[in-house]
Each structure stands twice: as C-alpha cells, then as structure tokens.
Amino acid sequence: MLQYLYMSAPVKIQYLKGIGPAKAKLFERLEIATVQDLLRYYPRTYQDRRLGMPPNEYNSDALIVFKGRVLRTQQIPARSVLIFKAVLENEKGEQVECTWFKKRMYRAFRFDPFGQLKKDFCINNEVWVIGRKNDRGAMFATQLTVEEAYVAADALTSLHAGRLTPIYALTEGLTNKQFRQFMYEALQSDTLVNTPEILPKNLLQKRQLLSAPQALKAIHFPNSLAELTTARARLAYEEFLLLATAWGIKRTQTKILSKDYSYEIKKNLLTPFREQLGFEFTNSQKKVINEIFKDLTSPRPMNRLLQGDVGSGKTVVALCAMLLAVENGYQAALMAPTEILAEQHFLTFKRMLKGLPVKVAILTSSTKAAAKKKILQDLADGNIDILVGTHAVIQDGVQFHNLRLAVIDEQHRFGVKQRSKLKEKTAKLDLLTMTATPIPRTLALAFYGDLDVSTLSELPPGRQPILTECATSKLAYDRVRSEVEKGRQAYIVFPLIEQSEKISAKAVTEEFEKLKKVFPQFRLAVLHGQMSQAEKEKIMADFAAHQTDILVATPVIEVGIDVKNATVMVIENAERFGLASLHQLRGRVGRGEHESYCVLVPQHAGSVAKERVDIICATRDGFKIGERDMQLRGPGEILGTRQSGELEFKAGDIFKDRDILYWAIEDRDEMLAADPSLSAPEHAAFKRKLQELYQENWHLIDLS
C-alpha cells in the first residue's frame, strides 16, 4: 500500500480529538495508525445529498434526501419491533413520513431507544433525513425508512447532509457519521498544513494540479463534482507518476547490467525438436522466438514479457528458449502459480521432448520427501536440465548448478517479490514472463516498465471459431450427445472436487456418477487435481487417444491439453470462474478442423458474474477480455502486484483515468531524460518518496 513521507513526525491516530486508545484499535484494522494515514484513506464512493439535484453518478431514485420541519411524531409498539414515525414538511409544502425500527429485546430496555430521536425531532425543529422509499401504507406520497438524520442547526450537520457526502469502507464498530467527523478534525489539524508537496512545481503548473493539502481536503469534502474531479486527478496523477518513474528507473538500471555468460545457437536440440513437433510455427511465433534469442545472445540479461491469447503457442515458444539454454550447458526453470498448471507443463514438456536428451523434473509442495531430496541433489549436481515447479522452486533449500533462464507462467498470479526471489537463485539470470491475459501495450509499458514486451498476435492455422453460448445443463448435454455421436469428444468442467457446505456449486466427483447415467452409451472419465500424477497422465493419454469420449474434470484442464478431436466444452457453475479461466477453458476446444462449441451453464449469477458470462459469449478477443477482466478484478490482481501492495491505487483508476496515466508516463520520460538520477533540487522530495516506497516494498531499485 502506498505510504507517504511527512516533514513532521507522524501523529498517532489515538491523539486525534474524540478517538483515544480504544477506538484507535478499530482504526488499526483499516491499517490507519497515524493522522497522516487517515488523510490518505480516501472515500470508496460518495452520495449526492444536495437538494433538488438531477440524477448523477452519486445519486439515484432509491436514495431520498429531505429537509423539512417536524409536524408530528409517534411511537408505535409492535410484537417484534418498536417503531418511531415522524412527518416532515418542506418549504414547498411537500410532506414525507419517516420511519425508524428497533428490534424488541427479550428484556426491557433500560432506556428509551428513541430518546435521542425525540429530542432531535421536536415539533417545528428543522431536520435532514436520508433514507430509502418504502411502501408501508398509502397516506403519504413519499414514505421512507431513515438511515441517517441530522438537526439542521447543528454545527457538524454540513459534513453529512446538503453536500457531496463521502462514504468510507469501514470496520465493525465505526460508522460513516463518526468517520466523517474524525476526518473533519484531521483536516483542521496541523498535519494537513504540514503535508509536503512531493510533485515538482513545473509539473503542478503544466498539468494545472491542486496542491497536496488542497487535494486532500477536496477528496474528502468536495464542494462540487468539478472539485472532486480535480482532487482525484491530482492524487491519481501522483500515484501513477510514482510507480511509472520507479519502473522507468528500474528499466534503465536493467539495461546497463551485463552477464558473464553467453549463448550460441547450436541447433543440436532445437532442430530435432522442431522436426518432431508435427507443425510449423506461425509468423508471430517466429518473430517472438527471434526477439527472445536476440535477447539471450546479447550481453545484457533478458527481461521480457510474452503475452498472447489462449492457444497462440506461448508454451512452445518458451520451450524453444529453454532448449537454447540447455544446449549451451545451462539449466532452465519454469515456475507456475499452481500445482495443476505446473503438472500440465511438465506433462507437455515430456511429450514434446520425447526422444531428446533433455532431463525434466517437477518440484511442488506435494513432492514426496524422498523424491524431493533426489531432485534437489540432481539439481545441484547439474543432472536436471529443466525444472518445472510452483513456489517450491524459490524455497531457500533449492540450489541450481548453473541456472541461467527462468520462465514464469501466468505471471499475474505471482507478486513482484516472488519474481525477484527467483532471480536471487543465481547472480545473473535471463527472465521470460508469460501471460494469457493480454494487457494494452501502454499499460504494459507503464507497469512492467523494466520489461520488453513481445506479443503473439495470431493463432495457429486450422483453428476453428468457437461458438460460445449460455444454456441450461439439459441443452448443454444435448450438444455433447450430438457431437459425440458424430465421433467427436467433449469436456464437462466443474469448479469443485467435493461438495462444500459453504459453497453452493456442483462437485465433480458427485456429478461424474450422475453423468454416467446421463450418457450410458459413451465412455466417461473423471480428472481432478487430487489424483496422483500417474493417474492424471493415463487419463489424459486415454482421452488424447480417443479411448474416452467425455472427460469430466475440474479446471485441471485449463492449460496444456491439446486434443484436436474435442469440440465441446461445457462449463458448469460458470459464474464461479473468472474471465481469464473461462477464456482459458474455452481454448481447449476449436483446435482441429471441426466447428466447436463452448456452453456456459450458470447456476446462480449475480450482476458481476452475469457480466463475465456475457463478455465471454460476446467476444473471443483476448485483449478485450483481458482489459475487462482488469476492470472487474482490479489491476493489482491482473498485473501480479496485489500480494505485496505495489499497485493498490487508492485514488487512481487506470481505465477511468487513462488520460492521467498517459500524462504521468509522458512526464516521467521527460523528467528522467533531463535528470536520470533525480538529483536536481526540484526533484528532492519526489526522490525521497520513491526511496521510501521501494525500501518498504520491493528492495529492487537502487535510488541512491
């Protein structure tokens, strides 16, 4: 999470008026330890509580804001609840009936639960109420259940009503009313006044940005939508510029490193590998392989991001790079985020390298102790050429003989610290990271600023378009039956292995037994991650040899499966899968000459889940899917930075604020071109901020 540097000593949150030690513990749950932290805790949204405003981003018909004079009140006892009602009238003569509910306790109340309300809602008092419309009775045109109420004459009422009102993400024990009042106290304190300006003056003027204190005050209590927009722009720009500059410096430092080893393209492994593949590389694959080989044979360490859509052939490209390392006497490693993905890569490598003198091993947390001991010894002795594994690869006990190339698959599932830990396995290392969730090039350059980017832009020839549709299980199984009767094969995927009490989703082990009765005339097999490696290999080999018609599986088949005769992919409980997983699973079909189908079968689809399903049905464009996935899940998760807090933007949104992002990248380039070490006096505060960020988070960049 972005922390901020201050000229004065941090003020502990407990010393802010009205908080104290007990409430300070509640703030700790929100990672707020100081008043400075509080100021940088931005609202998650706003409510437009101004009277008579037309609909906008922050108000809707569901929210009712009313200011009026109290005409009468009434307390009504009921069987299970106590009810308090008040009728208000505004200057136009419009009336509303307001209702509050309190659950009746088993024992009598020691005090009147509506005591404060009765004081505030004295006859003729002017009050603000904020609530939701209800339909209890028909005496009044507007009846609402009240969420918040304020006496108009109270000094702090203007924080909560009659304005764009901030709404914060809180923890149990804190209310938004309390939080706004504490924020108001923080904004009156010397802490705000002493907040340093880290942005260079010329950039503030160039982009017409607010000062830091102005922006902080306006982000919490904006006087208008325009002021809120300018405050967010300033704070978003600051976040973007800090990260983009750090990556820019890292990129420059990476480019000046030199490696004390070299590669020669000998082709004693690469040529026989290509000859036995059984297919030609696409032009895009050839281009990317040349880019990678040029990096490997250069005197500088490779730091390249390979992005490509599902089925574009990233794995075979990565394997070519690894074989170049092996034929030069070096070791290579591939790290995947899950055991399932690691096992799939291991099996794929074994199949593709069959007959070649290349020793491949797999290391995961499930590897038995005896097998692990032998692998570690062989690895240290140089008897393993390619190691495939999970996080187990970067554990302290893993020692390589001469590791020179590392490949990280599904890089967005690893944090920056984990990627750097792999680099620590040897003094110099060539690094290739891969993603099947392509991101726009500008974002890649901004947030992988130390990487060169290669893109596989075409699919292998012969790939058939995949018709994607949303349907019931019955219709999906009719599709399966129709295709299998033609001699084709099908996948049916479920999200779980066994039924969970907490999660309402179909389980593959139970559904497999049911499906055997649905398709008694076909050959079915089940595959999931808890099977032994030997069992998985046999089941997948049988399916590839068409000894199985329907493979019932968990997402274990998300990558690495290439069966050209498979033409149907049914995904049960589709709402439980992310966009990237749905797109990956769909990519398992459409690999041969026959028209193929992907049928999504949702069980319970909320708005976000339905949106994911709709997106997958509407497009096969990996870039569009990747961008939408980033919008739905957030960039930190997609770009692999959420785990260590490197991209948890609090003010900025890389989609809504794309123009501001472009400003930051442009200004970063100009600033570093003029002052590469940020040694000029006008950059001193900004440089201190960068040093603080990287000391706390990444330990990757030398900013001295």
Side-chain angles (χ1 to χ4, degrees), residues 683-698:
H683 297 145
F686 188 76
K687 183 175 181 177
R688 283 197 302 271
K689 180 71 248 157
L690 282 171
Q691 289 172 321
E692 178 196 348
L693 282 173
Y694 280 81
Q695 281 177 358
E696 291 187 358
N697 288 310
W698 296 337

Side-chain angles (χ1 to χ4, degrees), residues 341-598:
L341 295 182
E343 287 168 358
Q344 289 300 322
H345 281 302
F346 176 65
L347 296 175
T348 301
F349 285 5
K350 282 182 65 178
R351 175 171 51 83
M352 288 185 168
L353 297 173
K354 189 174 183 180
L356 294 178
V358 180
K359 299 168 186 173
V360 184
I362 182 170
L363 181 65
T364 71
S365 58
S366 297
T367 304
K368 303 292 185 184
K372 180 178 179 180
K373 183 177 180 181
K374 186 174 188 319
I375 289 171
L376 294 181
Q377 188 60 57
D378 285 346
L379 200 63
D381 293 341
N383 295 327
I384 291 174
D385 299 310
I386 297 175
L387 179 67
V388 179
T390 56
H391 298 76
V393 172
I394 59 175
Q395 290 176 350
D396 292 338
V398 179
Q399 299 296 325
F400 290 84
H401 179 67
N402 57 352
L403 177 66
R404 288 291 177 258
L405 173 64
V407 179
I408 299 179
D409 190 29
E410 295 299 310
Q411 54 73 35
H412 62 279
R413 311 260 292 269
F414 292 99
V416 170
K417 287 181 180 177
Q418 292 164 316
R419 296 197 290 264
S420 67
K421 194 167 178 62
L422 184 55
K423 289 184 178 182
E424 294 171 7
K425 291 297 177 182
T426 184
K428 296 287 193 316
L429 185 69
D430 291 297
L431 181 64
L432 177 67
T433 59
M434 303 193 298
T435 177
T437 308
I439 56 177
R441 183 168 180 80
T442 302
L443 300 183
L445 291 174
F447 302 120
Y448 285 113
D450 61 330
L451 304 186
D452 296 303
V453 181
S454 290
T455 302
L456 290 172
S457 55
E458 59 182 320
L459 296 179
R463 287 295 176 91
Q464 298 299 312
I466 303 169
L467 174 64
T468 306
E469 56 190 352
C470 185
T472 62
S473 291
K474 181 183 181 304
L475 292 174
Y477 296 163
D478 287 345
R479 175 74 72 184
V480 170
R481 187 175 291 105
S482 172
E483 287 296 299
V484 175
E485 285 174 349
K486 296 175 187 175
R488 317 281 182 253
Q489 292 165 274
Y491 304 98
I492 302 178
V493 177
F494 295 89
L496 301 175
I497 296 172
E498 295 177 347
Q499 195 68 264
S500 167
E501 293 181 4
K502 294 183 179 180
I503 301 174
S504 177
K506 295 180 180 178
V508 69
T509 50
E510 293 181 12
E511 295 300 321
F512 175 64
E513 296 303 320
K514 296 177 185 176
L515 288 170
K516 285 195 292 186
K517 298 174 183 176
V518 175
F519 303 108
Q521 71 275 43
F522 301 137
R523 298 166 296 176
L524 278 70
V526 64
L527 179 69
H528 56 74
Q530 290 185 6
M531 290 176 164
S532 70
Q533 190 171 307
E535 287 176 310
K536 293 174 191 170
E537 287 188 42
K538 184 179 186 311
I539 290 166
M540 287 188 287
D542 287 348
F543 189 69
H546 201 173
Q547 293 177 22
T548 305
D549 299 311
I550 301 171
L551 185 58
V552 183
T554 60
V556 66
I557 63 164
E558 189 173 311
V559 298
I561 302 285
D562 187 8
V563 178
K564 292 178 173 54
N565 193 50
T567 57
V568 184
M569 167 64 70
V570 175
I571 306 175
E572 290 275 5
N573 291 113
E575 75 279 3
R576 295 201 56 79
F577 294 84
L579 267 176
S581 290
L582 289 172
H583 191 46
Q584 285 271 21
L585 286 167
R586 175 170 59 184
R588 296 309 102 201
V589 296
R591 292 173 169 258
E593 60 182 346
H594 307 295
E595 188 174 26
S596 296
Y597 307 88
C598 177

Side-chain angles (χ1 to χ4, degrees), residues 576-626:
R576 295 201 56 79
F577 294 84
L579 267 176
S581 290
L582 289 172
H583 191 46
Q584 285 271 21
L585 286 167
R586 175 170 59 184
R588 296 309 102 201
V589 296
R591 292 173 169 258
E593 60 182 346
H594 307 295
E595 188 174 26
S596 296
Y597 307 88
C598 177
V599 188
L600 308 179
V601 184
Q603 187 177 16
H604 306 292
S607 58
V608 173
K610 184 179 184 301
E611 187 173 359
R612 284 200 298 267
V613 170
D614 290 344
I615 291 166
I616 290 294
C617 289
T619 182
R620 286 204 74 246
D621 187 322
F623 279 88
K624 289 180 180 177
I625 291 169

